[in-house]
Amino acid sequence: MTSISDFELSIALKVASSSCLEADVAEFLNLNTENFHVSPNVEKRVSRKLGFDEWKAFRKGFAKTVKIAMLVLVCGAGLFFATAMSISPVRASFFGAIVTWYNEYFEVKYDKTPAEENEEITDNGTAEFVAKKPTYVPEGFDLVNEYSSYAMYFCDYLNSNTDYLSYSQYENYEDGVDVDNSIIGRETLYLKDGAIEAELFIYENNKYILIWKDRSLILILSEGLELDEVIKFAEGIE
C-alpha cells in the first residue's frame, strides 16, 4: 500500500475541494429563478452588504490615513507648545498674573507651572526660600527698614524729599497681594531681556507698583521716582 505525506494529502484535498466548489458554483448559476420572488428587504440587505464589501478596502486605507494625520497633528501641536514655552513673552502669557478686581482693591496672584510642581523640595517638605536683594539703589536713597524671615523679605528706602521705594518678596505667590484699584493705567513690562513678565500699575502723582513672579512673588512700590529708575531697581534684584 502506497502512503503519502501530510503535505501531499493537503494538496490533494485542495484540488478535490476546488473541483467540488466549481461544480457547486456551476449548478447554482444554472438554477432557474424565474418563478422565485425575492423580498425587497432582502434585496436591500444584499445590496447594502455588497456595497459595504466594495468600500471595505477604501475604508481601511482611509482610516489608516486619518490615524497617521492625527498622529502628525498631535506631534505638531506638542512641538508648537514646546517651542512656544521657550519664548519668554509667550510662556508668560500662559502662566501670567491672575488679576481679580474688587470694589476698592484688586488681587494679583500666580498659579504654579508644571515645572514648579515637580521642583525638588527640601527634606522638611517645604521649598527653600532664598531672599533676592536689590543690587541697585537710586542715588540719594537710604535704607530705613529691613526684615527677613523663612518665607518673606522686604526693605524700604527714603530720600531727603521723602520719595519712597519699597521692595517685598513673598515665598507663596499663590496667596497673592491686594492692591489699591485706583490706578490710571496698566502695562506689561519684560525685565531682564524678556526673561520675566512684570505687571506695572500706574497711579497719579508719579506712583508705581510693579509685580512679577520669579520663584516667589515680588512687589515694588514707589512714589516720586521716574519709571526708568524703578525699572533699573527691578532689573538689579538678584
Side-chain angles (χ1 to χ4, degrees):
M1 182 177 179
T2 303
S3 61
I4 61 175
S5 65
D6 292 340
F7 176 74
E8 291 172 332
L9 177 61
S10 65
I11 295 297
L13 291 174
K14 287 181 180 179
V15 172
S17 62
S18 178
S19 299
C20 292
L21 180 61
E22 290 177 0
D24 290 340
V25 171
E27 183 180 357
F28 177 78
L29 293 176
N30 290 327
L31 290 175
N32 184 5
T33 61
E34 292 181 358
N35 297 325
F36 289 93
H37 175 70
V38 180
S39 170
N41 292 332
V42 174
E43 287 187 351
K44 185 182 295 184
R45 288 197 296 269
V46 172
S47 299
R48 188 184 300 124
K49 176 61 177 175
L50 291 175
F52 184 84
D53 291 341
E54 181 179 353
W55 288 91
K56 187 175 182 179
F58 172 77
R59 287 196 305 273
K60 286 184 177 180
F62 181 74
K64 183 177 181 180
T65 303
V66 171
K67 288 180 180 179
I68 294 174
M70 290 298 295
L71 180 61
V72 171
L73 179 62
V74 171
C75 293
L79 179 61
F80 170 78
F81 185 78
T83 303
M85 290 300 98
S86 67
I87 304 173
S88 297
V90 177
R91 184 176 63 250
S93 68
F94 279 90
F95 303 109
I98 301 171
V99 180
T100 306
W101 294 84
Y102 299 96
N103 290 334
E104 298 180 355
Y105 68 96
F106 58 86
E107 180 187 56
V108 182
K109 66 178 181 179
Y110 293 82
D111 285 337
K112 285 186 177 180
T113 65
E116 289 166 339
E117 290 178 350
N118 295 328
E119 187 177 279
E120 183 179 358
I121 59 175
T122 57
D123 294 337
N124 62 5
T126 58
E128 183 180 358
F129 177 74
V130 178
K132 300 177 182 293
K133 298 185 178 182
T135 60
Y136 169 80
V137 178
E139 184 177 356
F141 279 78
D142 297 317
L143 179 66
V144 295
N145 189 26
E146 185 177 27
Y147 173 82
S148 180
S149 72
Y150 68 92
M152 69 172 297
Y153 171 81
F154 70 80
C155 55
D156 299 324
Y157 297 88
L158 286 175
N159 66 4
S160 57
N161 296 325
T162 67
D163 295 330
Y164 180 70
L165 181 61
S166 175
Y167 163 69
S168 303
Q169 178 188 355
Y170 304 95
E171 177 189 21
N172 192 354
Y173 48 79
E174 292 180 288
D175 286 347
V177 293
D178 296 337
V179 183
D180 180 5
N181 67 5
S182 60
I183 63 174
I184 60 174
R186 175 185 173 185
E187 297 179 9
T188 299
L189 302 180
Y190 294 99
L191 307 176
K192 300 186 177 181
D193 297 325
I196 293 176
E197 181 189 65
E199 299 298 323
L200 173 66
F201 300 96
I202 305 170
Y203 295 81
E204 295 179 346
N205 302 321
N206 213 28
K207 179 180 177 181
Y208 302 100
I209 295 180
L210 195 59
I211 302 175
W212 74 87
K213 184 188 77 171
D214 185 9
R215 294 183 178 272
S216 55
L217 182 67
I218 294 179
L219 170 69
I220 295 176
L221 296 86
S222 70
E223 186 170 5
L225 279 79
E226 295 297 328
L227 181 57
D228 290 345
E229 285 293 294
V230 178
I231 293 176
K232 287 178 65 176
F233 179 83
E235 293 272 6
I237 294 173
E238 296 180 356

